[in-house]
Amino acid sequence: MLTRRTLAAAAALAFLALPAAAQDWKAQYPELTLAVIPMENASGTTDRYAPLAAYLTKTVGVPVKLRVASDYAAVIEGQRAGNIQIAFYGPASFARAVMTGVKVEPIVNPKHETGVAGYYSVIYVLASSPYKSVADLKGKTLALVDPNSTSGNQAPRFFLKRAGYDVDKFFGKAVYAGSHENAVLALTQGTADAAANFWNSETDSNLTRMLTKGIVKSADGRPMKQSDFRVVFKSDFLPEGPWAALASLPADLKAKIRQAFIDLPKADKAAFDRLSDGKDLDLTPVTLKDYQPIIDMLKANDEERKKS
């Protein structure tokens, strides 16, 4: 005969039979760290991503601490060490993490106002300069972003090489500025003749976001406009970088994180809009297979570097 006591005992036994991760992941992970690559200055990055950290805290059920990484490698190594549970990568830094053995799973990537989940690498010059094409930049200084940046290093190297321009031989100097914003500022301040950066559309790019914030000024302090810049090179289409979680996280925690990101555009539109200044349309689920072209690109660049 089934009694309330026997049913309660059965329920307790069933609970004990659950995987440990399903019972106590909150004990194992009383706090999560969300890290992002440095695409702009630290305060701007914090303002952009803090609402997302607050949303995840509420949705996942434990505090989610935002960490603005000092460089792209810091995100990769933080995930390798298990200190960063959730991260936003560029496609090349994600590919590098995978290629170097970091066990990480992509979740979603942003769909831009263009209706696609991807973007381009471009090279800017000042419109007032005499440079009308890449060929005009021979012997000049190119501001790159970071060795693990897609639009700021890996894509320019790959696509310029394909077009007949070896970055390390064609330009007089190629320097790493550290962030997308710093690369643009190197151009406007005259320490570089050209700058690599990301470009989603005519109305959404790192440059347009910097212009909106009013932080782009000429060497004499004049506020600049989009017309003060000229694009002299544009790469092939690149898949947008993913939000990713450690593969080693308990399955139910990963499921919570994944669902939180999928729900974000509607569940907290303000936090979602903050990520792109309201330009993105949605988030698109992704898998490792989506980044195979980027892995192939990095392998080709690595081979070229070994040859030189």
Side-chain angles (χ1 to χ4, degrees):
M1 177 180 176
L2 290 176
T3 65
R4 184 175 298 175
R5 180 174 297 176
T6 57
L7 287 171
L13 287 171
F15 178 79
L16 290 172
L18 289 172
Q23 295 180 40
D24 62 8
W25 70 257
K26 287 187 179 181
Q28 186 181 358
Y29 294 98
E31 181 179 82
L32 300 174
T33 296
L34 167 75
V36 296
I37 54 175
M39 298 179 70
E40 52 193 328
N41 64 50
S43 63
T45 304
T46 299
D47 290 344
R48 190 176 298 280
Y49 291 100
L52 172 63
Y55 163 78
L56 290 173
T57 294
K58 178 178 64 177
T59 307
V60 176
V62 295
V64 176
K65 179 178 64 177
L66 175 65
R67 175 180 166 187
V68 179
S70 57
D71 57 26
Y72 286 55
V75 177
I76 297 172
E77 296 310 315
Q79 288 225 288
R80 190 190 312 282
N83 300 324
I84 295 170
Q85 292 77 40
I86 311 167
F88 179 63
Y89 284 99
S93 52
F94 175 75
R96 184 65 72 190
V98 171
M99 290 166 66
T100 57
V102 179
K103 304 303 181 185
V104 62
E105 297 178 4
I107 302 171
V108 293
N109 66 5
K111 181 188 292 184
H112 300 310
E113 63 177 5
T114 52
V116 294
Y119 67 119
Y120 300 86
S121 169
V122 297
I123 294 179
Y124 288 110
V125 298
L126 295 179
S128 59
S129 76
Y131 314 124
K132 300 294 193 295
S133 68
V134 173
D136 297 330
L137 290 166
K138 184 174 177 60
K140 303 302 180 182
T141 299
L142 172 66
L144 300 171
V145 174
D146 180 282
N148 287 306
S149 169
T150 313
S151 64
N153 184 53
Q154 296 290 346
R157 287 184 181 277
F158 181 80
F159 291 106
L160 283 171
K161 177 69 176 179
R162 194 179 70 179
Y165 305 101
D166 185 311
V167 165
D168 293 318
K169 296 176 181 177
F170 178 76
F171 294 94
K173 185 165 56 174
V175 297
Y176 292 114
S179 71
H180 289 81
E181 283 193 349
N182 285 344
V184 171
L185 294 177
L187 175 60
T188 60
Q189 292 167 8
T191 57
D193 302 293
N197 238 267
F198 74 80
W199 187 95
N200 300 330
S201 69
E202 287 290 350
T203 57
D204 184 28
S205 64
N206 177 57
L207 176 61
T208 62
R209 295 176 189 187
M210 291 178 70
L211 292 169
T212 297
K213 290 192 290 185
I215 62 174
V216 186
K217 294 181 171 59
S218 64
D220 61 5
R222 175 181 58 85
M224 300 182 77
K225 307 181 294 294
Q226 193 168 351
S227 58
D228 289 317
F229 298 83
R230 176 165 52 243
V231 172
V232 294
F233 188 82
K234 185 177 176 184
S235 75
D236 289 0
F237 182 77
L238 303 162
E240 183 57 84
W243 289 98
L246 286 179
S248 60
L249 295 178
D252 54 341
L253 173 54
K254 282 193 291 186
K256 269 186 170 289
I257 294 169
R258 182 177 297 276
Q259 195 60 50
F261 274 102
I262 290 171
D263 294 342
L264 172 63
K266 292 181 179 177
D268 194 335
K269 189 174 185 303
F272 174 67
D273 286 347
R274 183 71 66 87
L275 299 177
S276 67
D277 295 338
K279 296 290 186 178
D280 287 347
L281 302 177
D282 206 348
L283 292 171
T284 301
V286 287
T287 67
L288 181 56
K289 184 178 178 181
D290 294 305
Y291 294 94
Q292 190 58 49
I294 302 299
I295 292 173
D296 294 342
M297 181 176 76
L298 263 63
K299 287 180 177 178
N301 284 350
D302 290 348
E303 284 301 314
E304 286 296 327
R305 187 172 67 249
K306 288 176 185 176
K307 290 177 185 177
S308 62

